[in-house]
Amino acid sequence: MRLSEIMTAGVVTAPPDAGAISVARLMRDHRVGSVVIVDPGGAPVAVITDRDLTVRVFAEGIDPESPVGEHASRPLISGEPEMELDEAAALMVQHRVRRLPVVDGDDLAGIVTLDDIAVRTGNLEVAQRMTADVIEGALPQFYFRERGG
C-alpha cells in the first residue's frame, strides 16, 4: 500500500509568522493535532503539533502571538506519495513522529498519521505497535527507568 492511497489530502497549513494562538485555533476549528508550516511559495518547511504549542509556547509563558515558525519541529520529516506504507512506518518510528507530511517535489500532497494507518489499513495491531515504538523512542526513561525502591 502506498501513502497516496491512505493520506489525507486536505492539510491544514500556516506561514512561519502565524501567531501561536491563531494556529491553536486552526487546530481546534479543523479538529487536527498538527499544522504544516509552509514557506511563502507553499512548500512545507516544518510541522507544529498541539504538543509543541503546549510545551514549547504556552507552558513556557511565551507570548501567544509569537510566530510558530520559531517553535515548530525541524527538520521536516516527510514521505512521498509513492512511498510504501512499511517504509513510511519505519521512517516514522525512526524519527519518533506520529504525523508524516507527504511531499511531491516541493508541493504538499497530504499527510499520514498513525490514526490513518490504523483506520485506512484496518490493521490496528500495526498502528498499536508503531505507537508503542514511537512513544518508547520519545520517552525512553519511562520504559527503562528502575521500578520500585
Side-chain angles (χ1 to χ4, degrees), residues 35-46:
V35 170
V36 176
I37 305 302
V38 295
D39 69 15
V45 295

Side-chain angles (χ1 to χ4, degrees), residues 63-140:
D63 179 3
E65 296 299 330
S66 69
V68 291
E70 300 171 13
H71 310 288
S73 299
R74 295 175 196 262
L76 179 68
I77 307 303
S78 62
E80 299 172 352
E82 296 306 308
M83 182 180 277
E84 292 290 333
L85 178 58
D86 291 346
E87 183 182 355
L91 187 65
M92 293 169 81
V93 168
Q94 176 188 356
H95 292 280
R96 301 179 199 127
V97 296
R98 298 178 38 133
R99 301 159 180 99
L100 189 69
V102 180
V103 178
D104 190 4
D106 286 338
D107 298 324
L108 182 60
I111 194 163
V112 172
T113 67
L114 288 178
D115 292 342
D116 293 330
I117 292 169
V119 171
R120 298 211 173 106
T121 65
N123 194 335
L124 185 58
E125 183 181 320
V126 168
Q128 287 173 328
R129 188 175 67 245
M130 283 180 63
T131 300
D133 289 347
V134 167
I135 291 170
E136 182 177 342
L139 302 170

